[in-house]
C-alpha cells in the first residue's frame, strides 16, 4: 500500500494528472475517485487564479504606464492652467484604475472556492432591484434616462448570495445607463414564476451585435467604438453570479428592434 501511495504522490507531483482508476486495487477505488475529483477541482482553481493574476496585471499595466507619463508631463508644465488640466486627467486615470481594481475584487470574491452555501440567505429580488435603482438614480438622472420598473405584487423569497446578486443587478443596470444615449429608457421586469424568478432589463440603446453576444462575457472584453469607459469585467461578474445560482442569462435584441434585452432566470432551488 505504501508503494501505491508514493506512486500516487509522484504522479500528482510530477505530472499534475489524476490517477487512473485501473491502476489501484478495487477496495480503494471510491477513495481514489474522490481524491481525483478533489484534485481536479484544485487544479482548476489553481489555473483560474493564475489566469486571473496574469490578466489583472496585464490590464493594470497600460493605465498605470499612462498615469506615469501624465505625471511626468505635469511635473514639467509651468503654466498653472495647463497643469491643472493635466492633474484632472491624472485623477481620471486613477479613477479608471480604481474601477478596474474594484471590479477585479468583486470577481475574485465570487470565485467558486470562496463561495460556500452558508453565504446564501433569503433573497427578495424585487427589493434588491429597487435598492440598486435608488443607488444608480443620480447617474440615470444626469443623462435624463427614465427607469421603469414593473414587478409582481407578491414576493417569493429564494436562497441566494445577496452580495453577488446585488453586483449582478448593479452591473446590468449600470451597463444600460452607460451605453444608451441621453434621454433613453430602461424597462425592468421582475416576475415570480412557478420554479424560478424572472428578471428582464431592456434598454433602447445600440444593443450588442449578435456575433459578439457570447464574447462580452469574457473577462476584459469590450465592444470597440462605444466611447464609454469601462474595464470589461461587468458581464463576467454577472455570468459568475448566474452560474453560482444555477440560473441562465440570455442577451437578445429588444422587442422594438433596437436596444439590448437581458433575461436572467434564477431557479428557486
Ligand atoms: N446595455 C448595453 N448596451 C450596449 N452595449 C453593452 C450593454 N451592456 C454591455 N455592453 C457591451 O458589452 C461590453 C462588456 O460589458 P461589461 O459590463 O462586461 O464591461 P464594461 O461595461 O466595458 O466594463 P465594466 O462593467 O467592468 O466597467 C461593454 O464594453 C459594451 O460594449
Ligand atoms: Mg459594464
Amino acid at each position: 500500500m505504501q508503494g501505491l501511495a508514493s506512486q500516487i504522490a509522484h504522479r500528482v507531483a510530477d505530472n499534475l494528472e489524476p490517477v487512473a482508476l485501473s491502476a489501484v486495487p478495487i477496495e480503494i477505488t471510491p477513495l481514489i475517485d474522490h481524491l481525483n475529483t478533489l484534485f481536479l477541482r484544485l487544479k482548476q482553481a489553481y489555473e483560474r487564479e493564475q489566469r486571473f493574476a496574469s490578466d489583472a496585471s496585464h490590464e493594470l499595466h497600460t493605465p498605470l504606464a499612462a498615469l506615469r507619463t501624465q505625471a511626468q508631463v505635469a511635473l514639467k508644465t509651468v503654466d498653472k492652467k495647463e497643469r491643472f488640466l493635466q492633474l484632472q486627467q491624472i485623477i481620471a486615470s486613477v479613477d479608471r484604475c480604481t474601477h478596474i481594481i474594484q471590479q477585479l475584487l468583486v470577481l475574485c470574491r465570487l470565485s467558486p472556492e470562496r463561495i460556500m452555501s452558508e453565504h446564501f440567505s433569503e433573497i427578495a429580488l424585487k427589493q434588491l432591484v429597487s435598492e440598486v435603482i435608488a443607488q444608480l438614480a443620480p447617474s440615470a438622472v444626469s443623462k435624463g434616462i427614465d427607469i421603469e420598473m414593473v414587478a409582481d405584487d407578491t414576493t417569493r423569497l429564494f436562497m441566494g448570495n445577496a452580495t453577488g446578486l446585488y453586483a449582478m443587478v448593479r452591473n446590468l443596470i449600470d451597463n444600460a445607463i452607460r451605453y444608451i444615449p441621453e434621454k433613453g429608457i430602461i424597462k425592468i421586469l421582475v416576475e415570480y414564476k412557478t420554479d424560478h424568478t424572472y428578471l428582464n432589463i431592456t434598454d433602447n440603446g445600440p444593443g450588442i451585435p449578435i456575433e459578439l453576444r457570447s464574447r462580452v462575457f469574457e473577462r476584459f472584453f469590450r465592444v470597440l467604438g462605444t466611447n464609454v469607459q469601462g474595464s470589461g469585467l461587468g458581464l463576467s461578474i454577472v455570468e459568475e453570479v448566474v452560474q453560482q445560482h444555477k440560473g441562465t442569462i440570455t442577451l437578445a435584441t429588444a422587442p422594438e428592434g433596437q436596444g439590448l434585452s437581458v433575461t436572467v432566470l434564477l431557479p428557486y432551488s
Side-chain angles (χ1 to χ4, degrees):
M1 192 63 94
Q2 215 184 356
L4 179 71
S6 85
Q7 195 191 335
I8 291 170
H10 275 114
R11 280 211 206 182
V12 170
D14 297 345
N15 308 321
L16 282 176
E17 285 298 337
V19 177
L21 286 180
S22 57
V24 297
I26 195 91
E27 318 83 69
I28 62 162
T29 303
L31 173 67
I32 297 294
D33 202 14
H34 181 62
L35 287 174
N36 275 346
T37 312
L38 285 179
F39 168 77
L40 277 177
R41 278 173 49 191
L42 203 62
K43 190 177 170 198
Q44 279 164 0
Y46 175 70
E47 284 168 356
R48 204 168 23 239
E49 294 282 325
Q50 271 201 324
R51 259 199 322 272
F52 189 79
S54 135
D55 286 354
S57 33
H58 177 76
E59 288 301 315
L60 279 169
H61 184 263
T62 315
L64 283 174
L67 193 56
R68 190 168 202 285
T69 311
Q70 286 170 332
Q72 279 171 329
V73 173
L75 262 182
K76 289 188 192 132
T77 306
V78 185
D79 183 71
K80 259 190 172 175
K81 216 168 159 188
E82 215 174 301
R83 200 165 63 217
F84 177 76
L85 289 176
Q86 282 158 356
L87 287 174
Q88 276 187 323
Q89 278 178 0
I90 290 178
I91 292 174
S93 299
V94 171
D95 288 346
R96 269 200 293 282
C97 292
T98 309
H99 177 69
I100 297 177
I101 292 168
Q102 277 168 345
Q103 291 283 70
L104 280 169
L105 281 174
V106 174
L107 197 55
C108 199
R109 288 197 192 109
L110 287 170
S111 68
E113 300 76 43
R114 288 185 178 80
I115 296 293
M116 314 280 172
S117 52
E118 61 260 35
H119 292 141
F120 276 48
S121 58
E122 283 193 328
I123 303 290
L125 197 74
K126 194 167 69 172
Q127 211 171 309
L128 192 143
V129 173
S130 305
E131 280 170 32
V132 175
I133 295 175
Q135 216 197 20
L136 295 177
S139 25
V141 169
S142 70
K143 275 183 82 177
I145 289 171
D146 194 15
I147 303 183
E148 293 169 12
M149 178 174 164
V150 177
D152 278 349
D153 291 338
T154 51
T155 290
R156 181 152 174 192
L157 302 174
F158 64 93
M159 294 304 283
N161 170 17
T163 318
L165 289 166
Y166 193 90
M168 176 190 88
V169 174
R170 192 191 153 91
N171 271 289
L172 289 175
I173 301 180
D174 173 71
N175 276 351
I177 295 173
R178 278 201 288 152
Y179 294 102
I180 66 177
E182 295 200 350
K183 299 196 168 43
I185 297 172
I186 301 169
K187 291 180 183 165
I188 302 174
L189 184 60
V190 179
E191 282 178 355
Y192 298 102
K193 307 280 187 192
T194 321
D195 54 357
H196 62 264
T197 301
Y198 171 97
L199 168 71
N200 177 271
I201 301 174
T202 297
D203 65 52
N204 65 346
I208 298 177
I210 294 177
E211 65 278 13
L212 297 180
R213 284 184 195 159
S214 57
R215 297 212 58 201
V216 287
F217 291 104
E218 290 170 19
R219 274 184 293 180
F220 301 110
F221 183 87
R222 307 202 67 230
V223 178
L224 293 174
T226 61
N227 268 337
V228 177
Q229 298 283 355
S231 60
L233 287 170
L235 289 174
S236 314
I237 293 171
V238 170
E239 191 182 39
E240 192 73 45
V241 178
V242 171
Q243 281 174 2
Q244 219 177 68
H245 292 81
K246 300 185 174 55
T248 58
I249 179 160
T250 337
L251 304 184
T253 306
E256 288 79 13
Q258 200 216 335
L260 188 69
S261 176
V262 184
T263 302
V264 177
L265 306 185
L266 298 166
Y268 296 126
S269 55

